[in-house]
Amino acid sequence: MALRPCILSWLCAIWADAMAWVEYSYYTDVYLGQEIAEEDFSLLEERGERFVDYITGGEAAAQKALDCVKKAVCAVAEVWQKQEKGGAVTAEKIGEWSRTYAQQPDRAVCRALLEAAQIYLATAGLMRTVGWA
């Protein structure tokens, strides 16, 4: 029994939406990213997708093949990773190893995420929520 064309199209659309917008090879070879390990990339990439789609008012999902959208996702993923590690390093000590991180309020984190994406999206006309951070 063959699948009807409309059902097959629907299944293909669901599968395509479930695929990552950015592959790890794009992150390392095109974006030239080095901050995120391959095993951590899928989670951070997903967060980057959601944030970029949010700040573009849903436009990014429709144009996820554009380099500017992919690069924005990569940039946001790197900011997410930095926040998960504790934020920006403000001090390090070698003897009796120590590291101090800047404590950023939520507003500063939102601003960092927005600025990371804005570099790539603003010139493409995809920014929708500017000035909220």
Side-chain angles (χ1 to χ4, degrees), residues 1 5-6 10 12 17 21-22 28 30 32 44 52 66 69 72 74 82 118 120:
M1 177 175 168
C6 63
W10 178 75
C12 288
D17 283 344
W21 296 5
V22 182
T28 58
V30 178
L32 303 177
L44 295 166
V52 169
L66 293 176
V69 171
C74 292
K82 184 181 286 186
Q118 191 173 19
Y120 299 103

Side-chain angles (χ1 to χ4, degrees), residues 11-21 45-46 49-50 64:
L11 290 173
C12 288
I14 290 173
W15 182 73
D17 283 344
M19 294 179 62
W21 296 5
E45 187 273 343
E46 171 70 21
E49 283 180 20
R50 296 300 134 232
K64 60 188 173 189

